[in-house]
Amino acid sequence: NRVDSGLTNHSINAIAVSDTNVIAGASGMFVSKIGDILWTKVDALPGMSVKSLAVSGGTVVAGTSIGVFVSTDNGRTWNQSNSGLNNTNVHSVAILDTNFFAGTDGGVFRSSNNGVSWDSVNTGLPFQYLACLAACGARLYAVGLCLDERNAPIATGQFPPEIRCDALEAYADAGQRTLRSTRGLLHLAIRAVDSDVTPDARLVLVHDMNFVERRSEETRRYLFYFFIALGACIALITVVIAQLS
C-alpha cells in the first residue's frame, strides 16, 4: 500500500526510523509516525536535497546539499551544524559511538561534539568524493579498497596480505567468508563500490572474530567449574545423608 499522503516529493533519497518516527529525506525532510500514512514537512529544512540519514538513539543526523543538520528529539526539530565543514555538499553521514562523520565532495569530516564543530580526517584517503559511509564497531580489524583485479588493495596497515584483489571471488560464498590468520579468526565482507570512474571497485571490510572464540572458551570454562561445583554438592549431600542414616 502507498503511504505518501503529505509527501510533496516522491523521489526519496534516504529513510530512517527514530523511536516512533519515520523520517524521509527528499527535496526537503518529511516526518511520519510508524503505522501512519500522513507525512509532515519539516519547516527547518525547506527545499534542499536531503541525501542521507543516520540514527543513534534519539539523535538523527542528516546530510544535505547545504551541509549537516542534527536533531536530538527523533527528527522533530533540527539545527544546522556546519562549523568547520569546508565542503557543505554532504552525500553521506554516519554515527559511531560519540562521533559523527560526513562524506562530502571534499573528503571526510568528523565531529566529536555532536556536530558543534567538524575536522577534516582525510589522511591516506586517495580520493575526495565520498558517496557512501559506513560505521563499524570496535571489531573492525582492517579495510581495503580494490580498484581493479590488477593492482594491490589500498588498505590499512593490518590488512591481511593473503587477501588479494584478483582472488576476492574465493570469498563470495557465504561459507567461505572467514579467514584464519596470525591474528586469529577474521570475517570478510565484500561490497561493490558504486562509481563511474572505477566500476570494478570493491570495498573489503575485515572483522575480528576472536571474541567468538573467546566467548566459546569462557563458556567451556564456566561449564567445567559448574560441574565441579555440582559434583561437590552431590558428594556433600551424600555424606550428610549417610551421617543422618
Side-chain angles (χ1 to χ4, degrees):
N1 296 330
R2 293 176 67 94
V3 286
D4 55 6
S5 179
L7 282 176
T8 58
N9 188 306
H10 293 84
S11 180
I12 305 300
N13 301 320
I15 195 162
V17 176
S18 182
D19 194 32
T20 60
N21 288 342
V22 183
I23 306 160
S27 179
M29 182 86 76
F30 299 85
V31 178
S32 181
K33 291 290 185 182
I34 294 176
D36 201 350
I37 63 171
L38 180 64
W39 294 86
T40 302
K41 191 167 186 177
V42 178
D43 292 334
L45 289 85
M48 84 282 293
S49 176
V50 179
K51 302 180 180 183
S52 59
L53 295 166
V55 178
S56 178
T59 299
V60 188
V61 179
T64 79
S65 56
I66 62 170
V68 174
F69 285 77
V70 178
S71 171
T72 56
D73 55 7
N74 301 300
R76 286 184 287 272
T77 60
W78 296 83
N79 292 302
Q80 193 167 15
S81 304
N82 287 344
S83 179
L85 201 64
N86 296 335
N87 190 299
T88 56
N89 191 20
V90 181
H91 301 284
S92 53
V93 289
I95 302 175
L96 179 60
D97 298 328
T98 59
N99 294 307
F100 297 169
F101 294 89
T104 74
D105 284 343
V108 179
F109 292 83
R110 178 181 62 197
S111 173
S112 57
N113 53 12
N114 297 313
V116 174
S117 61
W118 297 84
D119 296 304
S120 175
V121 284
N122 292 316
T123 302
L125 200 63
F127 40 77
Q128 296 293 299
Y129 176 84
L130 268 296
C132 181
L133 285 174
C136 303
R139 297 191 180 108
L140 181 64
Y141 176 67
V143 179
L145 176 65
C146 289
L147 298 177
D148 53 48
E149 295 183 350
R150 299 185 302 274
N151 297 302
I154 302 168
T156 55
Q158 297 187 109
F159 193 80
E162 54 264 59
I163 302 176
R164 305 193 322 271
C165 292
D166 61 354
L168 293 182
E169 294 302 324
Y171 305 102
D173 182 47
Q176 302 296 326
R177 292 178 186 165
T178 56
L179 173 69
R180 178 68 63 178
S181 72
T182 54
R183 167 75 181 186
L185 187 65
L186 303 174
H187 178 271
L188 276 65
I190 302 171
R191 298 289 184 268
V193 177
D194 186 10
S195 171
D196 294 333
V197 179
T198 54
D200 297 326
R202 284 178 288 182
L203 183 68
V204 183
L205 303 176
V206 184
H207 294 89
D208 185 355
M209 298 297 290
N210 280 333
F211 75 98
V212 176
E213 295 183 328
R214 289 194 296 270
R215 190 168 297 170
S216 298
E217 178 62 31
E218 289 173 357
T219 301
R220 287 193 293 268
R221 189 181 304 116
Y222 291 148
L223 287 174
F224 174 73
Y225 290 135
F226 170 76
F227 284 115
I228 289 179
L230 181 62
C233 290
I234 293 174
L236 180 60
I237 292 172
T238 303
V239 170
V240 171
I241 294 174
Q243 290 292 331
L244 293 176
S245 61

